[in-house]
Amino acid sequence: MSLPIFLIGARGCGKTTVGVALSQALGYAFTDTDHHLQLSTQRSVAEIVAAEGWEGFRARETESLRAVTAPRTVIATGGGMILAEENCRFMREQGQVIWLSASPEVLAERLQSEPEAAQRPTLTGRPIADEMSDVLRERAHLYQAAAHHQVNAMQSPERVVEEILLSLSLARAS
Ligand SMILES: Nc1ncnc2c1ncn2[C@@H]1O[C@H](COP(=O)(O)OP(=O)(O)OP(=O)(O)O)[C@@H](O)[C@H]1O
Ligand SMILES: O=C(O)C1=C[C@@H](O)[C@@H](O)[C@H](O)C1
Ligand SMILES: [Mg+2]
């Protein structure tokens, strides 16, 4: 199998952490849409949002998804990638889509210990635990509908990688 693998999920679910390890396990390249945007614009997410609003950021994010998509590549996507239906359609058509799911409490705990405010400006203006509950309430059905496979991301990164490899091999066998 050489199709791209897209990792989706909320901020802090481990798309970047797990994506790097998964790409190494498969001998694939690794890329990250947030990182690509940062390099191509020389601006952080917070700077893009300040200059162009979330709408401007989302349009750039769609371009970024298309620019990084390639065979034999694991792609960590921005947490809001699934907000645009065209992005969901594109990912499902181009490759395998994996949702790394985690509870709002676990996400908030991870984000609190490593906030990275420049890449994760507030989405709601609310405290982080409330924000993650709001975000999952709004987006869980979108992650679910976009994904070919859902994996529990509240395990060690090694275990998450194993589960992804298992779902992909089961999908190939069926
Ligand atoms: N399975 C895991 N177990 C424990 N900690 C984890 C796990 N996965 C990621 N983390 C930690 O959680 C934080 C966020 O992880 P990471 O940056 O990979 O998330 P992300 O999904 O890429 O977030 P974003 O959407 O903001 O880019 C990091 O500090 C990372 O070390
Ligand atoms: O969940 C979101 O909407 C976001 C997640 C991050 O990956 C970045 O793409 C950005 O901070 C927006
Ligand atoms: Mg990331």
Side-chain angles (χ1 to χ4, degrees):
M1 191 181 75
S2 61
L3 295 176
I5 298 169
F6 299 94
L7 302 183
I8 63 171
R11 283 174 171 173
C13 71
K15 301 176 296 289
T16 302
T17 308
V18 167
V20 170
L22 178 66
S23 68
Q24 286 164 355
L26 287 167
Y28 278 23
F30 171 76
T31 183
D32 185 310
T33 59
D34 284 331
H35 190 224
H36 176 268
L37 248 183
Q38 192 183 356
L39 286 182
S40 63
T41 61
Q42 291 295 304
R43 287 188 287 172
S44 65
V45 176
E47 287 167 337
I48 297 173
V49 171
E52 303 172 11
W54 278 108
E55 203 182 321
F57 174 80
R58 297 297 176 204
R60 287 180 177 276
E61 182 171 56
T62 295
E63 287 170 14
S64 181
L65 175 67
R66 287 168 186 268
V68 301
T69 297
R72 302 183 66 80
T73 304
V74 174
I75 300 159
T77 63
M81 190 62 81
I82 44 65
L83 292 173
E85 208 208 321
E86 85 173 275
N87 296 344
C88 299
R89 200 176 327 114
F90 178 81
M91 291 190 287
R92 285 188 66 91
E93 281 169 7
Q94 295 289 319
Q96 287 289 310
V97 185
I98 315 279
W99 174 23
L100 302 186
S101 72
S103 68
E105 292 78 17
V106 166
L107 296 171
E109 197 179 296
R110 289 183 189 169
L111 294 172
Q112 248 145 10
S113 65
E114 219 172 297
E116 289 190 52
Q119 284 302 101
R120 300 180 182 125
T122 181
L123 296 164
T124 59
R126 304 230 295 146
I128 193 68
D130 297 332
E131 173 158 297
M132 295 324 292
S133 294
D134 291 348
V135 161
L136 283 185
R137 201 175 309 113
E138 276 170 23
R139 296 186 185 169
H141 69 287
L142 299 174
Y143 291 126
Q144 179 122 51
H148 293 105
H149 306 286
Q150 176 178 350
V151 169
N152 173 8
M154 296 179 286
Q155 317 177 76
S156 70
E158 296 74 23
R159 185 72 203 128
V160 177
V161 169
E162 280 171 21
E163 278 205 17
I164 294 173
L165 292 173
L166 186 64
S167 349
L168 292 173
S169 65
L170 289 177
R172 252 202 317 274
S174 63

